Structures are given as structure tokens and as C-alpha cells.
Amino acid sequence: MADQTPPRCGYVTIIGRPNVGKSTLLNRILGQKLAITSHKAQTTRHAILGIRTRPDGQILFVDTPGIHRRGEGALNRYLNRAARSAIGDTDLVLLVVEALRWTDEDALALEALTTAGLPAIAVINKVDGIPDKSVLLPHLEGLAARYPFLELIPVSAARGDGIEALERAVVAALPEGEFQYPEDQITDRSERFFAAELLREQLVQRYGEELPYRTTVEIERFEAVDGRYRINALIWVERPGQKAILIGKGGEAMKATATQARLEMQKLFGCSVHLEVWVKVKKSWSSDEGALARLGYHDG
């Protein structure tokens, strides 16, 4: 007899402090790079939908910026709003924490979850760095006392350990319902959006601790011409000195950055890419609510 189990489908918001591995987790589940990653905090700036279709259900993951205490500027406020607003309209929350670690910003993420009062699974990431897994037990017991989680699941997003168990637990927690997207679709974001993100990823990875957080990327042109994409991108910084650092001596630093971003775009888009990049100054854009909105940082 054919399996008559009704399909399940629902939204699952991934929250946690910065640099805990939320985007790496999403990429691992989807089996391809969708969210940009870095060892630096606050790499993710926008909520991103990742669609995982399985035989037993369709999971609509929402990756969010890290909930944090650092900074009071307009960009910091936007990032926290984006994360918190994504929790409000979801079927399930994944709270991602790091194995054997609990910080004030983890507590802030838990506070957002507690305020929402939604069903949640605790995802304990980076367990591959712990040889003796028995030491995890007190950590899991402590987490269980903080919130009535449906399950607590240790994983390694980097290696893939525990991912199948996590997916099964997520599907089981979702409501019954028909799939909302075609089975081969993995996101609702445009290629134009991902072009900007892949260039920004190179800025985060290649430059100092502070400079990438004073930069953003705007795509001025994105079009298909003769079987290839032609993309013109603007990198906005806040001061002339930052522009000089990005460009580097003889333009070599920016050339290397743009080249690697172009290669990443070709991998994602599956076609040849011609990328041209300019660096411009927009004073204090990260502290200006209006400038943020014009550069694509919209609530909702």
C-alpha cells in the first residue's frame, strides 16, 4: 500500500548570537552555499529563505542576522530588528548555540524566543571540537532548564554530523500542509541579491576586523548578455581612507577581491560572469536610517 502520510510544510526561523554557525548550518542542510559565511561576527545582514524539500516535508528555513548587544548605530538596530521580526511569523524556531559555551548574547537570543513563546529546538553546534562527548550532558541539562525545547540536538554544521537527525525532528514538528514551492527551488531571493552578497563576503574575509562593517554593496547593473552575466557593483564606504584601503596599492587588493567574487558568482549562477566594481564614499551610511533603506536594508 502506498504511503498515505500527509505532507508537512512550514517556516523554521534560525536564531542565535553572531558567529555561532547559523549560516553554515543552513548551507549544510541545503547542500550548497546560499548564505555567506565568515569567522567574523555579524556577517549575515538580511533574513534569507532557504527551501529544503524532502520526501516527508518541505522546510522553509529563515536564516537571520545574529542577535547582539554590540553597537547602537542604525545598522545594528536594523540587524536586531530583522532577526526578531523573523521570529514573529514562524512555525518553529531553531536556537543555535555553541557546545559548552553560553554568553550574554546567547541569553539575548533566548529572551527573544521566550518573548515569542514558540515551539523550538535547541541546536548545539560545533560538537566536533569536543573529543569526550560525555561532557556535553551538563550543558544539555542546563539548556533544557532554560526553555521547554521540543528536542536538544548536537550537530557539527561544518562536518555534517547530526544534520539528518535535526531535519527529521524539524519535519516532525511542522504542521501538515502542501508544499509551497516547487521541489527544485531553494530560495526566493534573486540572483542580483546573491551577487551583492558574494562580493560582500569577500570584503568580510579579506579585510580587517572593522572595515567590512563600514562597507555595503549595491548592484547597479545585472543583465544577461550573450549567455553570460554582466554585473556592475558599487561598494559603499564611509570615509576616503576606507576607500584607499579597499582599493590597495595600484588597485591590486580590489582586483583580487573582485576576481574571487566573480569566481564564486560563476559557481552559483552556472555561467560566465563579467564583473566591474567601483568604490564610492557615502558618509556615515551605517548610522543613517534613510541611507540604509535606500541601500536595501528594509524592515519586513
Side-chain angles (χ1 to χ4, degrees):
M1 181 180 294
D3 184 5
Q4 297 300 311
T5 303
R8 294 180 179 272
C9 183
Y11 284 89
V12 179
T13 300
I14 307 173
I15 67 168
R17 63 170 171 81
N19 208 29
V20 77
K22 300 182 298 297
S23 296
T24 302
L25 177 67
L26 177 62
N27 291 342
R28 172 64 66 177
I29 290 171
L30 297 179
Q32 75 174 79
K33 182 175 179 177
L34 190 65
I36 68 173
T37 60
S38 166
H39 67 281
K40 298 173 184 176
Q42 292 174 246
T43 300
T44 299
R45 288 184 178 172
H46 303 275
I48 296 175
L49 179 68
I51 304 163
R52 170 72 170 121
T53 301
R54 297 164 47 97
D56 52 354
Q58 188 174 75
I59 313 170
L60 310 177
F61 287 104
V62 181
D63 186 28
T64 63
I67 296 176
H68 61 283
R69 296 187 186 278
R70 285 161 267 177
E72 295 298 329
L75 179 58
N76 296 94
R77 293 194 296 271
Y78 166 82
L79 295 176
N80 277 328
R81 285 199 308 269
R84 290 176 179 274
S85 64
I87 303 173
D89 187 21
T90 194
D91 298 293
L92 179 70
V93 175
L94 299 186
L95 176 65
V96 183
V97 300
E98 186 174 340
L100 304 185
R101 188 177 179 198
W102 183 262
T103 71
D104 288 346
E105 290 182 322
D106 290 309
L108 200 62
L110 177 64
E111 179 186 310
L113 169 60
T114 303
T115 299
L118 292 168
I121 293 173
V123 182
I124 300 87
N125 192 24
K126 305 184 183 181
V127 298
D128 51 305
I130 302 173
D132 181 5
K133 299 299 189 287
S134 66
V135 302
L136 280 171
L137 185 57
H139 183 65
L140 297 178
E141 291 173 344
L143 278 173
R146 295 179 188 274
Y147 192 83
F149 292 105
L150 300 177
E151 292 198 45
L152 298 93
I153 301 180
V155 305
S156 168
R159 289 178 34 174
D161 301 340
I163 297 301
E164 175 58 27
L166 174 61
E167 287 190 41
R168 289 198 302 268
V170 167
V171 170
L174 293 181
E176 294 180 359
E178 298 298 325
F179 293 177
Q180 295 189 25
Y181 292 90
E183 294 188 13
D184 59 351
Q185 186 172 344
I186 65 165
T187 188
D188 64 344
R189 288 284 193 173
S190 68
E191 291 180 324
R192 188 187 192 102
F193 170 83
F194 288 111
E197 286 289 273
L198 289 171
L199 178 54
R200 191 169 63 81
E201 179 180 48
Q202 293 305 311
L203 299 176
V204 174
Q205 292 181 351
R206 289 170 173 267
Y207 293 90
E209 289 299 317
E210 290 300 322
L211 183 57
Y213 305 115
R214 297 293 176 261
T215 64
T216 194
V217 175
E218 179 181 7
I219 302 299
E220 277 201 317
R221 177 191 187 190
F222 189 108
E223 61 181 353
V225 179
D226 298 327
R228 68 191 309 205
Y229 285 161
R230 296 188 64 88
I231 302 172
N232 293 356
L234 290 178
I235 299 174
W236 291 103
V237 296
E238 296 189 322
R239 297 193 299 273
Q242 296 168 344
K243 176 178 178 178
I245 293 171
L246 284 183
I247 293 174
K249 185 177 179 180
E252 290 303 313
M254 183 48 58
K255 181 179 178 181
T257 298
T259 296
Q260 189 57 45
R262 179 178 59 80
L263 294 174
E264 293 293 331
M265 291 176 194
Q266 288 180 167
K267 275 193 241 178
L268 181 62
F269 302 149
C271 69
S272 177
V273 171
H274 176 80
L275 174 65
E276 295 188 21
V277 178
W278 292 268
V279 183
K280 293 190 176 183
V281 178
K282 187 185 292 287
K283 186 179 178 182
S284 301
W285 69 264
S286 67
S287 302
D288 184 333
E289 299 276 1
L292 283 171
R294 288 190 295 274
L295 290 169
Y297 295 85
H298 302 289
D299 290 321

